[in-house]
């Protein structure tokens, strides 16, 4: 492939610049500032695009390379590849998306789709980085080493770049797996497994002794069980004997108890019967005792309350009896005062009636007189009006004078009215007089009646008072009656007291009789006081009740004892031991059994723990087998991983050598042409770095002087280009690459350059004539 | 008259079926329940006797649960006679002498004969001592139906006596109708001589993936009148253990391996209650991705237990890598040149390729 020309419309310092290129060496001698770097950048950008196109880039090349003088930004590059010529025409905008890119076939001058932008990779077969590392040779550059891209180009292994790129990750994975497994590390899986195996191995050695211990423990446990059973049997036998003996004794005890109860019952019965003689009908109950007690109290009370009257009282009684030979009845008490009051009222009533009669007569006379006068007046008036009316009417009628007629009529009416009134008054008076007469008659009757009644009442009162030697006096009738009644009350009171005393005496006698009869019946001596008798009786009753209770208790006891029937004599036990001996032996056996049970429990727990431990040991035994198996597997894997890592590393080394070997040969050949020292000492290591072997030591060439380094890199570049671009030789761009060389070396380098230009198109930029070919 | 012949129950044994602790405990309990179920079967089917030809327990000291279960079952079925012959794993004294139930018959190091009926005898001896003359002391009435119980490995050799070797040659033509053996965990019956047979009933419940297939006991039917007996195997296990071998040669990765396992015809015939072990066989390329954990998880919910064993061989097509210019190719070529065993080379290549491919390294 070769460059034909460039036409720069605008790019950095270039504006409308055209540069033609020829085959072979194109030496471009220009002072500093010409734009050699810019030209090279233009070529790179045309083939590979701008660098730092990301948004995050602080300095974008797109902006840095803008035409200094403005105007169009872009240009064309014509190139030839595989005998055909093409043109790349690019115009750059502010954003990549707005760039205009066209690729023309210069034979047809039509756009071609043989290449796609960026065309560099398709044209040169390498990426931008590789392009820079190989085809662009600058002075003072960093060490050229064989990048993966270079490797891939060398071996046509673009599609397998991933394979090589996976080397580091693969080795890391293998190392990590080895580390994880690593038996050299305490935390490695194998180391932990070894530890576990060691622990398990130690553990399982105790299986046999544990089994032996188990057997022994089982034996001891069985013995302890047997002993416990024997003790239990002995205990049961002792218990049986104790039970037999206690049952026998209980039976005997029952018989004795029943006999004793019978005796006791007999004694109680006698005592009860003896005491019961005093109460043939049974002891008085509480009610009766209360009644007796109350009777005694009552008798005493009656006896105390019968005190005589005093002399004064006796005298008063006599006086009262004398005054009141006959008692005043209740009716008389009620009626006599009423009669007295009634008499007073009648008298007064009689007086009122008489007054009224007199008054009525007087009124009647007055009315008569009054009426007489009225009639005369009204009669006169009436007559006069009548006299007046007649002429009026006659005149009016005769003359037709209504007014006179009316007036006459009115006067006539008035006259009529006056006569009417007079008549009415006369009638009224007549009526009133009749009424008055009737009233007077009534009054007279009433007066007579009242007089009769009054007389009657008076007679009664007189009779009453005379019975008590007194005279009725109206003005002190009330006082007299009160005195009589009071005296009667007093006498009644005394009489009542006398009657009551008599009653009490009678009652007391009756009570006494009853009490005497009662105490006689219950056998109490009557010579003592009732209180004493009562005490004695209470005592007797208490004794009786006690005797009865004791008798009943004794009877019930016997009955209870006999409820299961009359006991039979038990068969004596067939062993000689006494209850005490049996009890003693039982206690001893129980203690032993308890101790034995405790031992059994402990043995049982021990047995269980041994069994558990044994189970665990068996588990460990299985685990050990599995662990040993796993260890073998892991060791195998460890070995496999280590070997795989070593083999991969070796493979990568071999691969590098395979790919770099021809490069190394060419590199040495080029180096030999330009150096004055053996080139066999120079190698490319597995990382693609140039190293020199000197005196047995290997060192990178960074330690060489700048001139040597430059030549060495130059040789490597040429070697790489030779190997990488066998199919289509690309142009080589040198940007004043030999500035650091002395004259001698410069000569060698330029000589090599010239030789190389026979095979390659070389664009050699320099700013100094001394460095031209 | 019906009898059950069983052996090698190994009650309380630890399961070797790669089970979790919880399921392992569950299996131990299931084995115990299989024992009780067997006795229930016997009671329901009018079985007169149960012959236990050794290894009733897994070891000399067993859990209380196992011991109490056995004792309780025997004691609560007085109508069934239990003939218990100890094997090499059994406890020495299950019963203290005074406790042996009336329906339990024990044996010793010498021949002990019990009359099951007027014409059926059960004889047995525990081979705890390597006494070759024991066989000489065996004496059976040819008129009876003679059942002989022993525990050990049958062998035709006539060499030195061993506690676990049953010298078959010494038992032939000894009027044995049924040699009830124990020790082998798989049902097997062979002719002993013209008269009798020897039978291993196998264990009634599998313990690990090496005990696959139907498990159960042997039901013997004795015709007392004819003085003959017949027998058949009765599958009785609660769970069956299966092992499938699946060839995954050429599979492209784990998904295809899963498919092949799923499409294995036997998979559809296995009950979800069972345990399954799948052994991957065949050869896979070193670059083939393979995740056995994923495979186990794909099926673990379908069965009671699902275990995968990887026995695939890893193959490397060295020729393919001969011209491979990549790091991978270089690596394979480098390994192939080493003087290591082929298997190791394959493993190293597998590891290296897995690392390059970014696969997790187990």
């Amino acid at each position: 492939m070769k460059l034909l020309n460039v036409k720069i419309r605008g790019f950095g310092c270039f504006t409308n610049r055209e540069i033609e290129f020829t085959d072979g060496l194109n030496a471009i001698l220009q002072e500093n500032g010409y734009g050699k770097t810019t030209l090279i950048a233009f070529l790179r950008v045309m083939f590979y695009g701008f660098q730092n196109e990301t948004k995050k880039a602080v300095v974008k090349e797109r902006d840095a390379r803008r035409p200094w003088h403005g105007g169009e930004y872009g240009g064309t590059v014509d190139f030839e590849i595989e005998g055909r010529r093409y043109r790349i025409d690019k115009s750059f905008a502010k954003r990549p998306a707005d760039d205009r890119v066209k690729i023309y076939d210069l034979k047809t001058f039509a756009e071609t789709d043989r290449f796609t932008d960026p065309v560099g990779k398709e044209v040169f077969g390498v990426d931008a980085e590789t392009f820079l590392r190989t085809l662009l040779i600058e002075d003072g550059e960093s060490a050229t080493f064989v990048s993966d891209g270079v490797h891939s180009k060398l071996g046509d292994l673009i599609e397998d770049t991933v394979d090589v790129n996976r080397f580091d990750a693969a080795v890391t994975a293998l190392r990590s797996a080895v580390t994880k497994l690593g038996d050299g590390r305490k935390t490695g899986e194998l180391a932990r497994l070894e530890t576990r195996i060691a622990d398990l191995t130690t553990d399982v050695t105790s299986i046999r002794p544990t089994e032996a211990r188990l057997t022994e423990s089982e034996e001891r446990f069985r013995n302890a069980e047997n002993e416990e059973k024997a003790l239990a049997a002995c205990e049961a036998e002792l218990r049986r004997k104790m039970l037999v003996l206690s049952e026998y004794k209980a039976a005997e005890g029952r018989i004795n108890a029943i006999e004793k109860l019978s005796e006791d019952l007999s004694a109680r019965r006698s005592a009860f019967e003896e005491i019961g003689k005093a109460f043939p009908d049974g002891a008085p109950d509480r009610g009766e005792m209360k009644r007796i007690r109350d009777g005694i109290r009552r008798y005493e009370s009656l006896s105390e309350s019968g005190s005589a009257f005093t002399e004064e009282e006796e005298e008063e009684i006599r006086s009262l009896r004398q005054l009141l030979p006959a008692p005043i009845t209740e009716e008389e008490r009620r009626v006599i005062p009423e009669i007295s009051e009634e008499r007073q009222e009648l008298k007064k009533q009689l007086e009122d009636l008489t007054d009224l009669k007199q008054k009525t007569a007087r009124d009647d006379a007055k009315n008569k007189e009054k009426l007489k006068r009225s009639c005369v007046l009204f009669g006169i008036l009436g007559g006069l009006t009548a006299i007046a009316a007649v002429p009026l009417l006659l005149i009016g009628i005769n003359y037709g004078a209504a007014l006179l007629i009316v007036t006459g009529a009115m006067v006539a009416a008035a006259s009529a009215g006056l006569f009417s009134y007079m008549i009415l008054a006369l009638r009224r008076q007549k009526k009133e007089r009749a009424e008055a007469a009737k009233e007077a008659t009534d009054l007279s009757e009433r007066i007579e009646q009242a007089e009769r009644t009054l007389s009657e009442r008076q007679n009664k009162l007189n009779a009453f008072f005379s019975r008590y030697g007194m005279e009725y006096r109206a003005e002190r009738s009330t006082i007299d009656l009160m005195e009589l009644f009071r005296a009667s009350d007093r006498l009644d009171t005394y009489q009542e007291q006398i009657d009551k005393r008599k009653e009490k005496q009678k009652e007391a006698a009756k009570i006494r009789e009853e009490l005497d009869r009662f105490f006689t019946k219950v056998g109490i001596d009557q010579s003592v006081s009732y209180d004493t008798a009562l005490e004695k009786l209470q005592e007797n009753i208490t004794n009786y009740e006690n005797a009865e209770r004791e008798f009943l208790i004794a009877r019930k006891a016997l009955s209870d004892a006999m409820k299961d029937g009359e006991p039979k004599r038990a068969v004596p036990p067939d062993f000689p031991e006494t209850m005490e001996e049996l009890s003693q032996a039982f206690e001893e056996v129980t203690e032993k059994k308890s101790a034995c049970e405790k031992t059994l429990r402990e043995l049982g727990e021990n047995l269980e723990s041994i069994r558990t431990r044994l189970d665990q040991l068996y588990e460990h035994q299985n685990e050990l087998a599995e662990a040993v198996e796993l260890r073998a597997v892991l060791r195998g894997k460890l070995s496999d991983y280590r070997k795989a890592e070593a083999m991969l590393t070796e493979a990568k080394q071999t691969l590098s050598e395979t790919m770099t070997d021809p490069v190394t040969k060419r590199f040495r050949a080029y180096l030999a042409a330009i150096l004055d020292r053996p080139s066999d000492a120079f190698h490319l290591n597995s990382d693609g770095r140039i190293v020199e072997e000197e005196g047995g030591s290997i060192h990178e060439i960074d330690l060489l002087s700048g001139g040597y380094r430059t030549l060495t890199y130059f040789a490597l570049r040429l070697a790489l280009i030779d190997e990488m671009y066998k199919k289509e030789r690309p142009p080589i761009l040198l940007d004043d690459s030999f500035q650091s060389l002395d004259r001698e070396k410069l000569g060698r380098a330029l000589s090599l350059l010239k030789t190389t230009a026979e095979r390659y198109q070389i664009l050699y930029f320099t700013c100094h004539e001394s460095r031209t070919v | 008259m019906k009898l059950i012949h069983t052996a090698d129950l190994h009650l309380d044994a630890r399961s070797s079926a790669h089970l979790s602790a919880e399921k392992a405990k569950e299996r131990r309990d299931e084995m115990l329940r299989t024992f009780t179920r067997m006795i229930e079967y016997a009671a329901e089917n009018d079985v007169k006797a149960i012959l236990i030809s050794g290894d009733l327990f897994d070891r000399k000291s067993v859990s209380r649960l196992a011991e109490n279960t056995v004792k309780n079952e025997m004691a609560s079925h007085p109508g069934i006679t239990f003939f218990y012959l100890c094997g090499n794993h059994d406890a020495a004294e299950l019963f203290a002498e005074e406790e042996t139930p009336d329906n339990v018959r024990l044996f010793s190091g010498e021949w002990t004969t019990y009359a099951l009926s007027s014409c059926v005898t059960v004889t047995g001896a525990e081979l705890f001592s390597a006494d070759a003359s024991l066989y000489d002391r065996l004496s059976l009435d040819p008129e009876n139906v003679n059942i002989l119980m022993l525990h050990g490995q049958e062998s035709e050799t006539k060499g030195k006596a061993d506690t676990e070797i049953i010298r078959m040659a010494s038992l032939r033509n000894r009027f044995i109708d049924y040699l009830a053996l124990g020790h082998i965990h798989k049902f097997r019956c062979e002719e002993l001589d013209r008269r009798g047979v020897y039978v291993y009933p196998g264990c009634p419940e599998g313990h690990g993936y090496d005990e696959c297939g139907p498990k159960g006991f042997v039901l013997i039917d004795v015709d007392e009148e004819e003085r003959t007996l017949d027998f058949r195997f009765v599958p009785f296990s609660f769970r069956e253990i299966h092992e499938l071998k699946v060839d995954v040669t050429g599979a492209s990765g784990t998904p295809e391996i899963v498919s092949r396992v799923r499409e294995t015809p036997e998979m559809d015939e296995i009950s979800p209650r069972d345990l399954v072990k799948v052994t991957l066989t065949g050869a896979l390329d070193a670059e083939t991705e393979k995740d056995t954990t994923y495979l186990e998880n794909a099926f673990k919910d379908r069965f009671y237990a699902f275990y995968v064993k990887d026995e695939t061989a890893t193959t490397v097509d060295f020729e393919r890598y001969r011209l491979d210019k990549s790091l991978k190719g270089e690596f394979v070529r480098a390994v192939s040149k080493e003087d290591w065993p082929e298997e190791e080379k394959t493993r190293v290549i597998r590891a290296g390729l897995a690392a390059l491919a970014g696969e997790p390294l187990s």
Side-chain angles (χ1 to χ4, degrees), chain B residues 2-4 41 47 217-221 230-232 234:
Chain B
K2 291 183 194 168
L3 300 88
I4 282 178
Y41 174 95
V47 170
F217 54 80
V218 173
L219 184 66
I220 305 170
D221 198 349
D230 195 8
F231 65 94
R232 63 181 173 89
V234 176

Side-chain angles (χ1 to χ4, degrees), chain A residues 197-206:
Chain A
I197 287 172
D199 291 342
L200 289 171
T201 306
T202 306
D203 224 15
V204 301
T205 55
S206 51

